[in-house]
Amino acid sequence: CSFFLSPKSTYPVTDPGHSVKCSPVVIDDVLLNGTTLDIPAAEEFIHQSMAIIIEDAVKKATDVREKVCEWRSPDQLKELLDLELRDGGESDSKILQRCRDAIRYSVKTTHPRFFNQLYAGMEPYSMVASFIAEALKPSLYTYEIAPVFTLIEDAVLRKMMELIGWEEGGDGIFNAGGSMSNMYAMNLARYNHSPDIKEFGLSAAPRLVMFTSQECHYSVSKAAALLGIGTKNVYMFVCVCVCVCVCVCVQGAFPFMVNATAGTTVLGAFDPIEEIADICEKHNLWLHVDACWGGAALMSKKHKHLLKGIHRANSVAWNPHKMLMACLQCCAFLVRDKTSLQLCHSSGASYLFQQDKFYDISYDTGDKSLQCSRKADAFKFWLMWKALGSSQLEERVDRALAMARYLAEEIKKREGFRLLMEPEFSNVCFWYIPPSLKNLPDGPELYEKLHTVAPVIKERMMKTGSMMVGYQPHGDKPNFFRMIVISPQVSKQDMDFVLDEIHRLGKDL
Amino acid sequence: CSFFLSPKSTYPVTDPGHSVKCSPVVIDDVLLNGTTLDIPAAEEFIHQSMAIIIEDAVKKATDVREKVCEWRSPDQLKELLDLELRDGGESDSKILQRCRDAIRYSVKTTHPRFFNQLYAGMEPYSMVASFIAEALKPSLYTYEIAPVFTLIEDAVLRKMMELIGWEEGGDGIFNAGGSMSNMYAMNLARYNHSPDIKEFGLSAAPRLVMFTSQECHYSVSKAAALLGIGTKNVYMFVCVCVCVCVCVCVQGAFPFMVNATAGTTVLGAFDPIEEIADICEKHNLWLHVDACWGGAALMSKKHKHLLKGIHRANSVAWNPHKMLMACLQCCAFLVRDKTSLQLCHSSGASYLFQQDKFYDISYDTGDKSLQCSRKADAFKFWLMWKALGSSQLEERVDRALAMARYLAEEIKKREGFRLLMEPEFSNVCFWYIPPSLKNLPDGPELYEKLHTVAPVIKERMMKTGSMMVGYQPHGDKPNFFRMIVISPQVSKQDMDFVLDEIHRLGKDL
């Protein structure tokens, strides 16, 4: 007799561990004998999907002859995808087709002609690590649930702290994005300034203010809003003027933190950390370095000077999912002090962080976190680091920056292209000036017309699918392109292609 | 002539899209012709790793005859794993062995005898969706970067809102955990109460206070600390007394929010939403329902009464990665109001959310988010929902709750077991009382001794690897076991096994 209830399959489930006895047990009309999950069918489905993933999401996605994206408008795509969720399920073959379609109409961020964001390229070791983590579903609250990944996170954090130059170590945590890391920093800086705020809130506290460069990531303002600091209490300075700002500090307000950016989002610029650290030390301010983007330079003997002084920071945000190509997301928040991450965030939930466990509970790192369930993101960096070694990570960074330098030189050579500034990092910002605007003198008329050029070229490149490069205005500067060079798959030929293609798409404008 | 620089491989890279011209271009000692990523070798590595993932992380991990975990102490495991990151890289075969080891020593949260957390079990469709997302690396800032996943997120949110009963829709976002959802809720509630706080902060604001049940998740306190509300301004009530608390509202403080929990973490209890909604409406308080765990009951005609009144909530947190088995993490935050999520969180970063795009920028959902890069978590739920249909999701919920009911009945029948309370949901909380304590009367001596029983049994089950069940104290109650039943792979035989095994492991205590 058997009670196999596998609705997705017609053959009996033969899991010998679940041998079914003959007396049926029914509660609330549900038969509870045997399993209702058809494991062999599930394995077969996963097996088939793997072939599709390798073919479409790896091979084709990284093939330069294929499109970066197959543009469809929202309305067209809704119709193609049949998004509605219904009462009845669909066959496995139908679901496999849905997988193919989802891949087909997605942007291929691993494609060698994707230069649109601060991440790009395919990293096979990190990808495999992320598949393993997805299959195992660890959550990093406690050592008992995630022993391997807890230790790996610790090892990666330690190595990153070594590169920052914290000789006595520190503490840290991987979390769901650089924005969250900046939020952690602000919370720790505040806790360091006034630990009572954790319990009593800000309503009785004096007005806290912080300083950052104008070029900082928008998450600094978001965090100030969320933390009840208020966006108006974030004083933005032009890099070198930080000293002035601190001196001109507003009456009745208490500065608690300076945010320096190592590698800004648009320009790839670096704040002078040493100078800022001097001021922070003098005024006893928490120094946070947002090195989400520029932290990668710490891997390179040639370029780490960009972050000179970072060892003096109280905290650092650094995203290996950007230039170092770990799979999305892989974001470390690091703090020099060894206790405040725990003290500031702990809530001591007794159902997770029992004190009477049989192992060393200092390995239960979850109480340091703002999240409860938390993914094994460090593993995605660890496995690739093991495979490549620090030396190849260094080579990749050096090559990306050399490639950006090549592109900048080409832009200077080519008619119709104008560099916004000499690149400090791998961001190359430039205008394309179509022949029709060639003879216009610098001034409002040129700027106004130039402002409309990049959006049209972007539309055309998306619809062609030949490449993806971002654009934006900046201060009073009209829309310009921002190229981001990361992937080791990319060559000088791709740089040449980008410029040729922009000219091809925009020469009639 | 060729410039193939693939350090991981000995054969030439033959990507015809990257045909290499003959003049070498060298900048900063880096040769920039050709690629340095060996794509065929990468594909071969991914291919080989897939076989390991299917064999070890899927088949063996879900095989009831295999161990749930292979316990090693932190020190033992550090030695086994060789965690150190070095200058030199390692061969692919060595890395594949590292993959095997990482899987081997990890806890198998998809194993049918893993009952330790509020998630469990293997969901093949969701797993495949997560592999696809990992391979494609989408980030949900803008439609242009993640067209497919943006539309899918919207479709899933709409369907979830329909189940909540918001007939006129609402807004929402998937994010990195239920703790973050509760944080969003608190921020929106505060914004709704005093929108100026976003800009000016809390220092000039009156003291804000909020109410929640004692049984709420610890993230409510964490969020209050982070947001500058202060943990002391979170008033905890025993469920039904919410009215009293609101009336006895502290002098000079402004209540802005009530948090109700639908499915508490330890006991699986449900706050009476209708009653709380009456009070919130009367006092104009934002009602947030933390249905991270219990939201799954909305799929079931039989059990949705547990959340009666949820349509009156202003916001809802609901994690499909829990009972509905989407891959970790899959967490929706939903809000009835259609504009405040954007208004409260927007920062309008001009490099991402350009206003002069060629498509409808209402699809650029990233500005609603506290995160910048954000994963395609909704896809993991959408694909399995398409495969199973609402009807099979409903069957799963009904079966899990029937299974919990069966377990509770068995506990009542068996000598040596005592139920803490009748389960409302799939949490079954109980004590095991070893024969040596059988004749002790209820009272402090029994409680004190009982308190030490569960930790020892837990240690033994971890070291045996036969199953994983959590334990915790609660209020004045000594340590008890909390069984969580979720996976359709689990049968009544597994329930019987759990009780037999606890007895086997603890009968000598």
Side-chain angles (χ1 to χ4, degrees):
Chain A
C1 81
S2 70
F3 298 104
F4 296 116
L5 297 167
S6 189
K8 300 287 291 183
S9 141
T10 51
Y11 58 92
V13 175
T14 53
D15 183 342
H18 281 86
S19 67
V20 173
K21 302 236 178 68
C22 279
S23 50
V25 173
V26 177
I27 287 187
D28 286 346
D29 301 327
V30 183
L31 179 64
L32 300 178
N33 311 58
T35 176
T36 60
L37 184 68
D38 185 343
I39 294 280
E43 283 162 10
E44 178 56 27
F45 173 77
I46 295 169
H47 192 79
Q48 287 178 19
S49 76
M50 289 290 200
I52 293 170
I53 292 171
I54 291 191
E55 192 56 37
D56 293 0
V58 178
K59 279 191 190 179
K60 278 179 77 174
T62 57
D63 186 340
V64 76
R65 296 162 301 182
E66 299 283 336
K67 288 182 173 185
V68 180
C69 60
E70 198 165 322
W71 171 261
R72 293 291 184 280
S73 72
D75 287 337
Q76 289 170 326
L77 195 51
K78 277 182 204 171
E79 209 173 300
L80 282 166
L81 294 177
D82 173 29
L83 297 161
E84 204 187 321
L85 297 160
R86 304 187 181 86
D87 278 353
E90 294 179 350
S91 69
D92 282 6
S93 66
K94 178 88 193 181
I95 296 297
L96 291 172
Q97 186 54 45
R98 292 198 178 279
C99 293
R100 280 188 207 98
D101 290 343
I103 296 168
R104 175 173 175 187
Y105 296 110
S106 284
V107 168
K108 310 301 183 297
T109 69
T110 55
H111 190 282
R113 300 268 165 86
F114 178 85
F115 306 104
N116 208 78
Q117 307 298 141
L118 299 186
Y119 72 93
M122 198 263 284
E123 194 356 274
Y125 305 106
S126 192
M127 191 187 289
V128 163
S130 74
F131 291 161
I132 291 172
E134 293 300 315
L136 292 174
K137 298 203 290 188
S139 182
L140 271 75
Y141 339 92
T142 61
Y143 180 81
E144 109 197 33
I145 298 298
V148 170
F149 303 113
T150 299
L151 296 181
I152 282 175
E153 177 170 51
D154 183 63
V156 176
L157 288 169
R158 275 172 206 286
K159 189 72 181 178
M160 292 175 87
M161 289 188 266
E162 192 186 308
L163 289 164
I164 288 170
W166 290 341
E167 285 170 10
E168 289 168 28
D171 200 359
I173 197 159
F174 274 79
N175 61 62
S179 296
M180 275 193 78
S181 296
N182 290 338
M183 202 186 287
Y184 270 101
M186 209 177 285
N187 200 30
L188 279 186
R190 181 172 69 179
Y191 184 77
N192 181 259
H193 184 274
S194 313
D196 285 352
I197 290 171
K198 181 177 177 181
E199 280 184 38
F200 297 101
L202 280 164
S203 68
R207 185 158 71 93
L208 297 176
V209 298
M210 61 168 291
F211 304 100
T212 180
S213 71
Q214 275 175 347
E215 298 290 317
C216 75
H217 190 255
Y218 71 85
S219 56
V220 173
S221 289
K222 280 211 180 190
L226 183 74
L227 269 71
I229 303 287
T231 54
K232 296 255 187 216
N233 293 317
V234 180
Y235 287 82
M236 307 259 178
F237 54 83
V238 180
C239 282
V240 285
C241 300
V242 55
C243 46
V244 184
C245 286
V246 174
C247 299
V248 184
C249 174
V250 197
Q251 291 271 325
F254 290 78
F256 71 106
M257 172 179 176
V258 175
N259 173 70
T261 310
T264 60
T265 311
V266 176
L267 305 176
F270 286 74
D271 283 338
I273 301 175
E274 288 280 24
E275 285 176 49
I276 296 171
D278 288 343
I279 293 158
C280 288
E281 275 172 22
K282 192 170 151 198
H283 296 275
N284 197 25
L285 295 171
W286 184 282
L287 172 57
H288 173 64
V289 178
D290 175 351
C292 285
W293 173 224
L298 292 169
M299 304 297 306
S300 158
K301 288 184 280 295
K302 194 177 281 167
H303 299 290
K304 67 180 179 187
H305 68 88
L306 290 166
L307 299 109
K308 193 161 178 288
I310 194 170
H311 63 285
R312 296 169 68 191
N314 297 91
S315 58
V316 173
W318 177 1
N319 293 3
H321 78 217
K322 293 187 156 53
M323 186 172 281
L324 297 175
M325 294 178 65
C327 271
L328 211 68
Q329 289 164 316
C330 187
C331 306
F333 173 68
L334 304 129
V335 55
R336 199 169 59 191
D337 171 275
K338 286 179 188 172
T339 57
S340 59
L341 192 59
Q342 170 78 22
L343 289 170
C344 177
H345 294 102
S346 73
S347 69
S350 63
Y351 76 95
L352 268 179
F353 308 114
Q354 302 92 329
Q355 301 300 300
D356 50 8
K357 283 180 179 172
F358 66 97
Y359 61 85
D360 177 357
I361 56 170
S362 71
Y363 288 96
D364 288 356
T365 52
D367 209 19
K368 294 177 187 176
S369 170
L370 284 169
Q371 297 177 276
C372 180
S373 64
R374 195 164 62 84
K375 301 193 68 160
D377 292 333
F379 180 54
K380 299 187 285 193
F381 191 30
W382 181 82
L383 195 71
M384 64 176 281
W385 201 334
K386 276 286 193 190
L388 300 170
S390 305
S391 57
Q392 274 188 70
L393 292 177
E394 179 174 20
E395 278 171 28
R396 283 191 179 176
V397 172
D398 288 350
R399 188 170 184 277
L401 295 198
M403 199 70 78
R405 169 55 49 199
Y406 169 79
L407 180 65
E409 297 305 324
E410 283 301 299
I411 285 167
K412 287 193 268 184
K413 280 182 212 160
R414 289 205 189 194
E415 197 178 357
F417 288 86
R418 189 184 296 178
L419 206 57
L420 190 90
M421 58 177 266
E422 289 293 335
E424 278 188 70
F425 201 48
S426 94
N427 312 42
V428 183
C429 297
F430 62 94
W431 287 282
Y432 171 68
I433 303 169
S436 71
L437 305 181
K438 190 168 94 171
N439 296 320
L440 275 181
D442 256 23
E445 193 192 342
L446 173 65
Y447 284 20
E448 202 176 300
K449 289 189 169 156
L450 210 47
H451 191 63
T452 64
V453 169
V456 177
I457 295 177
K458 178 66 181 264
E459 175 175 359
R460 291 176 179 178
M461 77 171 77
M462 293 291 293
K463 289 182 173 169
T464 311
S466 55
M467 62 184 189
M468 280 181 71
V469 183
Y471 77 88
Q472 64 281 298
H474 191 257
D476 57 356
K477 295 190 169 59
N479 279 323
F480 55 87
F481 288 108
R482 181 197 65 171
M483 268 285 291
I484 299 290
V485 189
I486 294 175
S487 168
Q489 196 185 350
V490 169
S491 71
K492 85 159 267 286
Q493 285 82 348
D494 296 295
M495 300 301 104
D496 298 340
F497 174 83
V498 166
L499 300 183
D500 295 344
E501 181 73 357
I502 286 176
H503 178 65
R504 189 182 74 81
L505 295 169
K507 62 177 187 277
D508 64 326
L509 293 175
Chain B
C1 78
S2 69
F3 297 104
F4 296 116
L5 296 168
S6 188
K8 302 286 294 182
S9 141
T10 52
Y11 59 91
V13 175
T14 52
D15 183 342
H18 280 86
S19 67
V20 174
K21 300 240 177 64
C22 278
S23 51
V25 174
V26 176
I27 285 187
D28 287 344
D29 303 327
V30 182
L31 180 64
L32 300 178
N33 310 59
T35 176
T36 60
L37 183 68
D38 186 341
I39 294 280
E43 283 163 8
E44 177 56 27
F45 173 76
I46 295 168
H47 193 78
Q48 286 178 21
S49 76
M50 290 292 200
I52 293 171
I53 292 171
I54 291 191
E55 192 56 37
D56 293 1
V58 178
K59 278 191 190 181
K60 277 178 77 173
T62 56
D63 185 340
V64 75
R65 296 162 300 182
E66 300 282 337
K67 289 181 174 187
V68 179
C69 60
E70 197 165 322
W71 171 261
R72 293 292 185 279
S73 72
D75 287 338
Q76 290 170 325
L77 194 53
K78 277 182 202 170
E79 211 174 299
L80 282 166
L81 293 177
D82 173 30
L83 297 162
E84 204 187 321
L85 298 160
R86 304 186 181 87
D87 278 353
E90 294 179 352
S91 69
D92 282 5
S93 65
K94 178 89 193 179
I95 295 297
L96 290 173
Q97 185 53 45
R98 291 198 177 281
C99 292
R100 279 188 207 96
D101 290 344
I103 297 167
R104 175 173 174 188
Y105 296 110
S106 284
V107 168
K108 311 302 184 294
T109 69
T110 54
H111 190 282
R113 301 268 165 87
F114 178 84
F115 306 104
N116 207 80
Q117 307 299 141
L118 299 187
Y119 72 94
M122 198 262 283
E123 193 357 273
Y125 305 106
S126 192
M127 190 187 289
V128 163
S130 73
F131 291 161
I132 291 171
E134 292 300 316
L136 291 174
K137 298 202 290 187
S139 182
L140 272 74
Y141 337 93
T142 60
Y143 180 81
E144 109 197 33
I145 298 299
V148 171
F149 302 114
T150 298
L151 295 183
I152 281 175
E153 178 171 51
D154 183 63
V156 176
L157 289 169
R158 274 172 208 287
K159 190 72 181 175
M160 292 175 87
M161 289 188 268
E162 191 187 308
L163 289 164
I164 288 170
W166 290 341
E167 284 170 10
E168 289 168 28
D171 200 0
I173 197 160
F174 274 79
N175 61 62
S179 296
M180 276 192 78
S181 296
N182 290 338
M183 203 185 287
Y184 271 99
M186 210 177 284
N187 199 31
L188 279 187
R190 181 171 68 180
Y191 184 77
N192 182 258
H193 185 272
S194 313
D196 286 352
I197 290 171
K198 181 177 177 181
E199 280 184 37
F200 297 101
L202 280 164
S203 68
R207 184 158 71 92
L208 297 175
V209 298
M210 60 170 290
F211 305 99
T212 180
S213 70
Q214 276 175 347
E215 298 291 317
C216 75
H217 190 254
Y218 71 84
S219 56
V220 172
S221 289
K222 280 212 179 189
L226 183 76
L227 269 70
I229 304 287
T231 55
K232 296 256 189 217
N233 293 318
V234 179
Y235 287 82
M236 308 258 178
F237 54 83
V238 179
C239 283
V240 285
C241 301
V242 54
C243 46
V244 183
C245 285
V246 174
C247 300
V248 183
C249 174
V250 197
Q251 291 273 322
F254 289 78
F256 71 107
M257 172 180 178
V258 175
N259 173 70
T261 311
T264 61
T265 312
V266 176
L267 304 178
F270 287 73
D271 284 338
I273 300 175
E274 288 279 24
E275 285 176 49
I276 297 172
D278 288 343
I279 294 157
C280 288
E281 275 171 21
K282 193 171 151 196
H283 295 275
N284 196 24
L285 295 170
W286 184 280
L287 172 57
H288 173 63
V289 177
D290 175 352
C292 286
W293 174 224
L298 291 170
M299 305 296 308
S300 158
K301 287 183 281 295
K302 194 177 284 168
H303 299 290
K304 66 180 179 187
H305 67 90
L306 290 165
L307 298 110
K308 192 161 180 288
I310 194 168
H311 64 285
R312 296 170 68 189
N314 297 92
S315 58
V316 172
W318 177 2
N319 293 3
H321 78 216
K322 292 187 156 57
M323 185 170 282
L324 297 175
M325 294 178 67
C327 270
L328 213 66
Q329 291 162 315
C330 188
C331 306
F333 173 69
L334 305 129
V335 55
R336 199 170 56 189
D337 171 276
K338 285 179 188 170
T339 58
S340 59
L341 192 59
Q342 170 79 21
L343 290 171
C344 178
H345 295 101
S346 72
S347 70
S350 62
Y351 77 95
L352 269 178
F353 308 114
Q354 301 93 327
Q355 300 300 301
D356 49 9
K357 283 180 178 173
F358 66 95
Y359 59 85
D360 176 359
I361 56 170
S362 71
Y363 288 96
D364 287 356
T365 52
D367 209 19
K368 294 177 189 178
S369 169
L370 285 168
Q371 298 178 278
C372 180
S373 64
R374 195 165 60 88
K375 302 193 68 162
D377 292 332
F379 180 53
K380 299 187 285 192
F381 191 30
W382 181 81
L383 194 70
M384 65 177 279
W385 202 334
K386 276 286 193 191
L388 300 170
S390 306
S391 57
Q392 274 189 71
L393 292 176
E394 177 174 22
E395 278 171 28
R396 283 191 181 178
V397 172
D398 288 349
R399 189 170 185 276
L401 296 197
M403 199 69 79
R405 171 55 47 200
Y406 169 79
L407 180 65
E409 297 304 325
E410 282 302 299
I411 286 166
K412 287 194 266 186
K413 281 182 210 162
R414 288 206 190 195
E415 196 177 1
F417 288 87
R418 190 185 295 178
L419 206 55
L420 190 89
M421 57 178 266
E422 288 294 334
E424 277 188 71
F425 201 49
S426 95
N427 312 41
V428 182
C429 297
F430 63 94
W431 288 282
Y432 171 68
I433 303 168
S436 72
L437 304 181
K438 188 169 94 169
N439 296 319
L440 275 181
D442 255 24
E445 193 192 342
L446 174 65
Y447 283 20
E448 203 177 301
K449 288 189 169 155
L450 209 49
H451 192 63
T452 66
V453 169
V456 177
I457 294 176
K458 178 67 181 264
E459 175 175 359
R460 291 176 180 178
M461 76 171 77
M462 293 292 292
K463 289 181 173 169
T464 310
S466 56
M467 62 183 191
M468 281 180 71
V469 183
Y471 77 88
Q472 64 281 298
H474 191 256
D476 58 356
K477 294 193 169 58
N479 280 322
F480 55 88
F481 289 107
R482 182 198 64 171
M483 268 286 291
I484 299 290
V485 189
I486 293 175
S487 168
Q489 196 186 351
V490 169
S491 70
K492 79 152 277 272
Q493 285 83 349
D494 296 294
M495 300 300 105
D496 297 340
F497 174 83
V498 166
L499 300 183
D500 294 343
E501 181 72 357
I502 287 176
H503 178 65
R504 189 183 73 81
L505 294 168
K507 62 176 186 275
D508 64 326
L509 292 174

